[in-house]
Amino acid sequence: MADTFAFAEFRAGAFRKVAFETVSAARRAADATGGGTVTALAMGAPGLSAKAAELGRYGADRVIVVEHAELARYSPEVFAGTAAAQLKAGSYRAGFFSASAEGRDLAPRVAAALGQSLASDITSFEITADALTARHPVYVGKAIATLRLTGTPALVSLRPGAMVAVEQSRTAQVETAAPALDPASARVVVTELAQRPAARMDLGEAPVVISGGRGLKSAENFKLVEDLASAFGNAAVGATRAVTDDGWRPSSDQIGQTGRLVSPALYVAVGISGAIQHLAGMRTARVIVAINRDKDAPIFKVADYGIVGDLFEVVPPLIEAVKRARAEHQ
Amino acid sequence: MAFAGVDFYQMDGLLSEEERAVRDTVRAWVDEHLMPIIGDCYIEGRFPKQIIPGLAELGVLGANLPEEYGCAGLNNVAYGLIMQELERGDSGIRSFASVQGALVMYPIYSMGSEAQKKQWLPRLAAGQEIGCFGLTEPDYGSNPSGMITTAKETKDGWVLNGVKMWITNGSQATVSIIWAKTGAVDDPKSIRGFIVPTSTKGYAAKDQKGKLSLRASDTSEIHLEEVHLPKDAILPKSGGIKSPLSCLTQARYGISWGAIGAAMACYDEALQYSKQRVMFAKPIGATQIQQVRLADMLSEITKAQLLCLQLGRLKDAGTMTPQQVSLAKRNNVSMACDIAREARRLLGANGILAEYHSMRHMANLESVYTYEGTHDMHSLILGQEITGIAAF
Amino acid sequence: MKIAVCLKRVPDTEMRFAIAADGTSLDSAGLKYDISDFDGYAVEIALRLNEQQGPGEVVVVALGPDALQETLRKALSMGVDRGIHLQADPVPYDGFSIAQALASELAGQGFDLILFGRVATDTGNGMVGPMTAHLMDLPCVTAISRLEIAAGKGTAHRELEGATETVTFPLPAILTIDEGIARPRLPSLKGIMAAKKKPIESRPAALGPVRLTVDRLELPPERAGGRIVGEGPDAVPELVRLLHEEAKVL
């Protein structure tokens, strides 16, 4: 029976989707090693404890809540110190973090504090008493490495969206704890957190990504992509490098080797030819749809479903059809 | 996509770390600063003056001259690689660098006084002065010994009279190296070199219009009418036709490498196109005809690369002969002309657009075939060397 | 300021990419190497900081085989003052092992800043920087997209999902640098020549124990042949049906 640990990311008054993925993974790991206890740690501003029980829905048996007025924002030293102290206080077989922006900062610090290594940004894992093996895309997605991690606790961070959060009923026991160090003593201080004016979901979190390329011919025509994203309701808008280089879309929207790497459930490529450096950013999406008027475009080789045609003729009816389908199946 | 070069015989392993670093740096610079603008410059028929400061800062002007004169102090293989990478961009740009380095800075360095070297070389290296080389005349191209530009000695200095033609950088030059006869018009031994600031009264440069080749380069006529120069304008160690020819040997050496750059650009473009362009349900690179074209191109490039590498090592060892340079210039430019044309053909209709590079290279290389000693002249230079009999 | 930049020599996989016969590494035939992209930004930042703030020293540190020296020389030719080559062949995959070697090398040398790229373009982990910071007990800010340093303190921007954080920190500190912050300068040819004379010290890396290894390296699964659902707007109803019934994403 092995106990596992999960760090559950909490921001702006709610658990992020990746928190559920992390707890879910810790649950699966505990079950795979004889069914031990899953302990989740959540840190944030006062009010967090009211939400803590949510983590039981994803398999947490225990939720340790660290609430403090100064923890409304991430503080690397306090968060890392507290997570490390909690991990040391139990006897955990494995510890799970998200490889979100926060997690990528947090997990390595915790690992070093525990004198352990870290398998970061993994897309799947198997665990036994002696070893944890995990898969991780390397060379910007050109290859998949199967890694072997020894040492206890085995610490991993999960690529957001790669492992689906599985719901199950469990009553989580909520305990409170203090931060391991006084937040006022932190040397690195977050002085501001500016939400970007985003009407859209973030590319890394959205289950659906609609992306546009040169085929759209102008910045104004990106409205078609945005409308299709709105039709899906839970979609973010991405772009190819050609289009961000030309200034039609901000560079933070760029999907590709030197931009964002995304793994949505559905990726729709509109007017994108499928250059290798773009594919590197989206090839791990579960389902890929391509719309392009060139039947020989490389994108069709990776797309599960393709429509060959003029996107200006295909996308408007597609927008209507998606809206209808969602209304029907809601 | 960044240009990756062509290296079928792993010649990178024959280069020093520094030579590779120089090549990679100039390659990246060309990708970033030249490729985005060269198509338009060529169509508009203008040399992109705005890149001169960048080229100078990079250190490519007179790169194989010593550091004490503000130059990079590179060896000749590195210099050749610079020319290769510049011409991969455009022959006109490489011509600019060849003229500045091999035809203006080199004669000042090898034939000038210490005062002249100190006055001119650092400024030329920094791109603060632009130079041109005045040898060719309207009636004296392949036979420069016959030139009729004169330099008469006066009590204060010299007076130059004559016309020069086909002068690269002519209209934008601030200084000109003019070759003129100080003695009788039929006495080539009296040929001397002069440093002529182009602002000197009586000096006028006019661009030659209507070029269909080397359009991103300034090519000018120079008129010298009673141009008075001080005594110290003469290059003291110059004398006879061998003086300008020694400069041409330097430039021809660089051109031998440059031609490889143009050939690589065309081959690479043709190769990428052949893999992407689909006709009759398969890429055209799957057809035998195009594969033979590509194989021929690769063979010629590989041979030329090995030729130049050895030539460069000989130059660094101090044993290179002008005839060895003739062989390389003749061979490499000829093969580059063929490769550019065949690449243009492989590209089909798209190949006539300025968006693609091969036809621009094809047109440019016709000038390179003709200047710095025509292909035919180099045949005769070699013929004389081999047989001992001059057939000019 | 005295600034160290920890960089990684990584293969350039744009041109050639094949997995070696042993199934755990890349086929080295024809592979070219270079400074990892994000580390290049870190070198550029370090050089600019000293250009703006008065003379200082920039040192690059890296682990690798002898061939690493060529990569260090590229940094020297950009203007870095000296290099430290920690010998390791091969460089382990385990970032914690690497962090221990770096912390051991950098300790007590009085660096005002130690910079890393946010993530290496080969292994894609982004952990060596923060781990080294923990081992050296230095404040650390990761994934910086904007940076200002003044009077012994720093202010940085970090991009989260959908938000931008502003962070302050004291010096000395360890920072990891994200993309977009600065284009790395091309070395000048004089810089390449000057680099030949700059010192590179070479000594064995004091690696920590290795607990994370690569069992296997594989190409990503070929996506099973997709299909063209149809042509033009007429194909839309069928696509929507497939997305709902077959792919279950709608």
Side-chain angles (χ1 to χ4, degrees), chain A residues 15-39:
Chain A
F15 282 111
R16 296 188 64 230
K17 186 160 149 258
V18 294
F20 305 142
E21 292 172 8
T22 313
V23 171
S24 210
R27 176 79 262 156
R28 179 161 79 78
D31 292 343
T33 48
T37 311
V38 173
T39 301

Side-chain angles (χ1 to χ4, degrees), chain B residues 29-30 121 129 145 181 230 243 263 279 305 310:
Chain B
W29 189 93
V30 167
L121 292 181
E129 306 276 356
S145 300
K181 285 174 173 160
S243 294
M279 203 58 58
Q305 286 173 318
Q310 174 63 359

Side-chain angles (χ1 to χ4, degrees), chain B residues 77-207:
Chain B
V77 170
Y79 173 80
L81 289 165
I82 294 171
M83 295 298 127
Q84 172 186 288
E85 293 305 314
L86 288 178
E87 194 147 4
R88 190 272 298 189
D90 185 270
S91 304
I93 308 314
R94 193 274 307 139
S95 296
F96 172 85
S98 285
V99 166
Q100 184 90 342
L103 299 182
V104 175
M105 294 170 75
Y106 176 78
I108 296 176
Y109 171 71
S110 63
M111 299 175 232
S113 67
E114 199 53 41
Q116 286 169 329
K117 291 190 245 189
K118 286 203 163 64
Q119 181 188 355
W120 292 102
L121 292 181
R123 291 178 61 79
L124 285 160
Q128 289 159 344
E129 306 276 356
I130 306 296
C132 69
F133 180 83
L135 176 68
T136 303
E137 298 181 358
D139 295 328
Y140 297 97
S142 289
N143 179 19
S145 300
M147 71 170 73
I148 58 174
T149 299
T150 57
K152 295 263 175 283
E153 196 163 2
T154 66
K155 71 168 167 37
D156 305 311
W158 306 90
V159 180
L160 270 55
N161 279 284
V163 180
K164 299 289 183 184
M165 200 154 156
W166 307 109
I167 307 302
T168 301
N169 297 355
S171 57
Q172 61 165 325
T174 56
V175 63
S176 187
I177 306 294
I178 298 290
W179 301 92
K181 285 174 173 160
T182 55
V185 137
D186 58 1
D187 179 16
K189 289 213 224 343
S190 75
I191 292 174
R192 308 295 301 277
F194 296 86
I195 303 179
V196 183
T198 62
S199 54
T200 310
K201 183 155 171 289
Y203 180 107
K206 205 174 73 171
D207 272 339

Side-chain angles (χ1 to χ4, degrees), chain C residues 1-7 42-43 45-46 49 57-61 99 102-117 128-142 144 147 149 169-177:
Chain C
M1 281 186 281
K2 187 173 178 190
I3 306 179
V5 181
C6 296
L7 62 84
V43 170
I45 285 290
L49 281 170
E57 191 190 20
V58 180
V59 182
V60 281
V61 184
L102 288 172
S104 152
E105 172 64 33
L106 297 166
Q109 292 208 37
F111 288 106
D112 300 299
L113 281 178
I114 299 173
L115 306 184
F116 291 75
V128 177
M131 284 177 165
T132 308
H134 178 88
L135 293 171
M136 296 179 70
D137 191 24
L138 286 177
C140 173
V141 185
T142 64
I144 291 180
L147 176 65
I149 307 276
F169 55 92
L171 263 48
I174 290 190
L175 311 177
T176 82
I177 307 294

Side-chain angles (χ1 to χ4, degrees), chain B residues 12 17-18 20-21 25 28-29 57-58 70 72-74 82, chain C residues 14-15 32 70 73 183 186-190 192-193 196-197:
Chain B
D12 258 24
E17 192 185 293
E18 166 195 319
R20 282 195 294 273
T25 296
W29 189 93
E57 206 182 300
L58 193 55
L74 302 180
I82 294 171
Chain C
E14 274 228 31
M15 303 306 151
K32 294 221 187 336
E70 184 164 347
R73 258 201 226 275
R183 286 202 83 156
L186 280 177
S188 70
L189 304 188
K190 286 191 196 161
I192 292 172
M193 294 303 288
K196 295 205 302 190
K197 302 185 196 119

Side-chain angles (χ1 to χ4, degrees), chain A residues 105 117 135 196 258 305-306, chain C residues 94 142 159 179 218 229 246:
Chain A
D105 183 280
S117 190
R135 309 194 88 203
R196 279 199 288 280
T258 52
Y305 307 105
Chain C
D94 188 341
T142 64
E159 304 304 315
E179 189 185 24
E218 294 159 302
V229 167
E246 200 177 87

